[in-house]
């Protein structure tokens, strides 16, 4: 049995400011500036406390009995997945997104069949929240650079194109988990240190982290996975030394 929910973000600005430890006016002005002035009410209507941010929503798939999510004696598996259209939809093998999502679904099904429940949280944060156009520009830069697509230059190429390595903001991501009533995750199917830190800092216990099985990693995605492991992503092995990353290369352009 699978239950699906879709969620659009609604921000209560005084509450968001309090959580981030800043003044509400500073938050309003930053949002006004970063959205190109398209929401003047942010700075002209302090009496309006609710803001509908122009960002993607979230889709949740609950595998099994949703009543078991908050049950302390039943196991819970969770995969928090950030959107990757190229891989998730079209099957690109330059990254691990699709196979990791599929593995997360499998773990959720296994957990539900064992008497627990699984939760897939699908967030609209395409291309590390930089967008798909920027992501494909980065892909092209990686493939065309001198020496080819290398793990040691994986994050550098994104920074050269976009100015930052990652634009995802995970601080508010656990909200959907709390909304579902989750207090403990027995099996977290994620290697991301940013997601893990956000989840545990929000007060949710994580018992076990599950990395993507090595046999599920596409050949061209070795560049991505080794670069992420070297940057601090969770792994069941030590990963490669910095001097060895240059030897991990993807397909030639």
């Amino acid at each position: 049995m699978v239950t699906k929910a879709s969620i659009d973000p609604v921000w209560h600005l005084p509450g968001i400011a309090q959580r981030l430890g800043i003044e509400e006016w500073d938050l309003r002005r930053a949002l006004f500036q970063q959205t190109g002035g398209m929401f003047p009410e942010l700075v002209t209507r302090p009496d309006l406390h609710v803001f509908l941010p122009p960002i993607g929503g979230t889709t949740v798939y609950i595998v099994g009995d949703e009543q078991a999510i908050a049950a302390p004696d039943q196991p819970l598996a969770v995969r928090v997945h950030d959107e990757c259209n190229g891989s998730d939809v079209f099957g690109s093998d330059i990254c691990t997104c699709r196979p990791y999502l599929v593995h997360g679904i499998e773990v959720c099904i296994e957990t539900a069949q064992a008497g627990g429940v699984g939760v897939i949280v699908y967030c609209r944060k395409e291309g590390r929240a930089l967008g798909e156009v920027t992501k494909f520009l980065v892909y092209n830069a990686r493939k065309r650079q001198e020496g080819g697509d290398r793990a040691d230059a994986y994050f550098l190429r994104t920074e050269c194109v976009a100015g930052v390595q990652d634009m995802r903001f995970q601080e508010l991501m656990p909200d959907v988990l709390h909304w579902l009533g989750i207090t403990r995750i027995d099996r977290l199917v994620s290697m991301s240190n940013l997601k893990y830190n956000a989840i545990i800092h929000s007060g949710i216990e994580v018992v076990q982290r599950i990395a993507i099985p090595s046999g599920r990693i596409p050949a061209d995605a070795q560049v991505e996975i080794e670069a992420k492991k070297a940057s601090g992503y969770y792994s069941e092995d030590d990963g490669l030394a910095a001097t060895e990353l240059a030897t991990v290369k993807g397909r030639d352009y």
Side-chain angles (χ1 to χ4, degrees), residues 35-81:
T35 53
M38 63 190 291
F39 300 103
E41 294 82 8
L42 283 166
V43 293
T44 62
R45 293 290 306 275
D47 58 310
L48 298 179
H49 298 302
V50 173
F51 176 56
L52 305 181
I55 59 177
T58 303
T59 302
V60 178
Y61 283 88
I62 302 169
V63 184
D65 181 9
E66 69 272 11
Q67 298 297 324
I69 289 177
D73 58 341
Q74 293 174 285
L76 171 67
V78 172
R79 165 69 181 170
V80 178
H81 187 88

Side-chain angles (χ1 to χ4, degrees), residues 66-216:
E66 69 272 11
Q67 298 297 324
I69 289 177
D73 58 341
Q74 293 174 285
L76 171 67
V78 172
R79 165 69 181 170
V80 178
H81 187 88
D82 289 338
E83 174 186 28
C84 179
N85 195 52
S87 179
D88 295 344
V89 179
F90 293 101
S92 167
D93 66 350
I94 199 173
C95 67
T96 59
C97 295
R98 181 187 177 103
Y100 210 177
L101 174 60
V102 170
H103 184 59
I105 294 172
E106 290 176 342
V107 172
C108 286
I109 293 172
E110 291 171 356
T111 305
Q113 289 175 339
V117 61
V119 174
I120 303 290
V121 179
Y122 195 91
C123 305
R124 297 312 193 284
K125 298 178 182 177
E126 179 68 62
R128 299 187 205 149
L130 291 164
E132 197 168 27
V133 171
T134 298
K135 181 172 77 171
F136 289 163
L137 288 172
V138 172
Y139 284 172
N140 273 283
R142 284 172 50 189
K143 291 297 182 181
R144 295 171 184 264
Q145 70 185 338
E146 184 177 351
D149 186 13
R150 312 185 315 275
D152 65 327
Y154 175 80
F155 288 105
L156 177 62
R157 289 282 71 80
T158 304
E159 194 167 1
C160 287
V161 173
V164 293
Q165 293 184 0
D166 197 324
M167 275 293 290
R168 286 174 293 184
F169 183 67
Q170 304 291 6
E171 186 71 21
L172 305 179
M173 174 270 293
D175 285 11
V176 62
L177 304 179
H178 288 283
W179 180 71
L180 289 166
I182 293 174
T183 58
R184 187 194 73 243
I185 299 173
D186 296 280
R187 308 172 76 189
L188 177 63
V189 190
S190 174
M191 297 171 66
S192 171
N193 51 339
L194 298 177
K195 292 177 184 175
Y196 172 75
N197 290 336
I199 290 171
I200 62 171
H201 289 160
S202 75
I204 297 175
E205 177 189 1
V206 174
V207 178
Q208 179 188 8
R209 300 173 71 181
I210 299 177
I212 184 173
S214 58
R216 294 293 187 88

